[in-house]
Amino acid sequence: MAPPAIIAPSILSADFAELGKACSDTIAQGADWLHVDIMDGHFVPNITFGAPVVTKIRTHVQRPTTKHGRGTFDCHMMIAEPKKWVKDFQKAGCDLYCFHYEAAISSTAAESPEATSESKTNPKEMIRYIHDCGMLAGIAIKPDTKVDVLWDILDNPHLAERPDMVLVMTVHPGFGGQKFMASELPKVAELRKRYPDLNIEVDGGLGPGTIDQAADAGANVIVAGSAVFGAKNPGEIISKLREAVERRRGKL
Ligand SMILES: O=C(CO)[C@@H](O)[C@H](O)COP(=O)(O)O
Ligand SMILES: [Fe+2]
């Protein structure tokens, strides 16, 4: 059976002037994780915030007491040099550091004249490094990236180099409130077929109108920003998302 439903509201759609309260309220309304979108203006055409803000919001949400437990900070690192920020985010209170495959293999990140040994990397090394720093590791792929690039990483016999979660983007990363791309779901279905126990996250355009398709494909970690923070009753939306995933799980 696929792993349990995990609902991770994206705080990108929260009121940034009240971020701490928005985070604690969302957990109180039934969210499992908080999805924290970090954008650097290079990897994506938008900027959010960095580790100092994560340190502050961490004080509003209790650390998870179990692996993947309630209160997990799922940091989605849409940044060009993911290796450079691992330690800062660990210190800030990140539990799951999810970097982009495209950034880890990018020649600009690895070969730019400014690149130091701190910023050079490859996906397997990144995962090992994140684990060594005491966090769970996630790897994300953009819509233009084929899912096949992940087989070598997921079939790695070295457990320390295997990711704890794969994130399949269902929008082009950079902004909240975009239209869900159903074209990405075959990637989710293929991942679920090959890896029944894997945590598979989908991110972008998820809400009551699109959750069934994502759940049917086999996603179990659901990110939703505008659908949760734009709702009159966020708790009701969180429950609906969870029910759709659990319904699909029950059919397996
Ligand atoms: O990573 C991203 C966007 O790049 C997401 O996490 C969005 O913030 C999700 O927002 P909605 O599409 O659910 O509004
Ligand atoms: Fe995200």
Side-chain angles (χ1 to χ4, degrees):
M1 201 188 248
I6 293 173
I7 310 303
S10 161
I11 61 171
L12 186 61
S13 296
D15 178 354
F16 276 16
E18 299 277 351
L19 207 45
K21 184 175 180 314
C23 290
S24 51
D25 285 355
T26 308
I27 293 290
Q29 284 152 355
D32 301 286
W33 294 1
L34 290 176
H35 182 84
V36 182
D37 286 308
I38 307 298
M39 305 185 187
D40 67 352
H42 292 282
F43 184 74
V44 287
N46 198 4
I47 297 177
T48 54
F49 50 78
V53 172
V54 176
T55 302
K56 287 290 178 196
I57 58 175
R58 185 76 268 183
T59 63
H60 292 257
V61 180
Q62 266 187 13
R63 293 301 292 251
T65 52
T66 55
K67 196 175 163 186
H68 302 125
R70 184 171 300 278
T72 290
F73 274 15
D74 163 31
C75 294
H76 177 191
M77 308 304 292
M78 288 166 273
I79 61 174
E81 292 186 81
K83 189 174 175 198
K84 195 169 168 182
W85 303 102
V86 170
K87 285 186 181 156
D88 287 41
F89 274 76
Q90 188 278 328
K91 284 190 204 120
C94 165
D95 303 291
L96 192 163
Y97 190 96
C98 183
F99 66 94
H100 267 267
Y101 168 83
E102 302 84 0
I105 57 150
S106 142
S107 54
T108 40
E111 287 161 20
S112 80
E114 305 93 70
T116 59
S117 59
E118 273 289 279
S119 60
K120 289 185 184 180
T121 190
N122 71 46
K124 286 180 190 171
E125 264 178 35
M126 263 301 288
I127 294 166
R128 178 180 286 276
Y129 182 51
I130 295 166
H131 284 150
D132 286 348
C133 288
M135 294 182 287
L136 299 170
I139 185 163
I141 52 169
K142 295 204 247 185
D144 293 337
T145 303
K146 288 195 164 60
V147 70
D148 315 34
V149 301
L150 297 175
W151 306 151
D152 181 44
I153 298 164
L154 287 162
D155 293 334
N156 191 334
H158 303 289
L159 275 184
E161 293 176 355
R162 239 192 258 164
D164 302 284
M165 184 185 82
V166 167
L167 162 53
V168 175
M169 289 302 297
T170 45
V171 295
H172 291 286
F175 301 91
Q178 301 183 75
K179 191 169 179 293
F180 177 72
M181 295 168 70
S183 58
E184 302 313 295
L185 292 179
K187 295 178 183 175
V188 175
E190 179 71 14
L191 280 162
R192 179 56 71 219
K193 200 169 106 196
R194 286 181 179 241
Y195 307 100
D197 302 330
L198 180 67
N199 278 309
I200 305 175
E201 182 174 61
V202 281
D203 180 11
L206 273 307
T210 51
I211 185 62
D212 286 341
Q213 300 168 65
D216 282 349
N220 71 299
V221 185
I222 311 298
V223 176
S226 42
V228 170
F229 287 98
K232 273 205 182 107
N233 186 343
E236 197 181 309
I237 302 294
I238 292 168
S239 301
K240 277 192 182 154
L241 298 176
R242 189 189 310 287
E243 278 160 24
V245 178
E246 291 298 346
R247 215 170 25 243
R248 160 61 165 71
R249 257 185 111 217
K251 284 186 198 154
L252 289 177

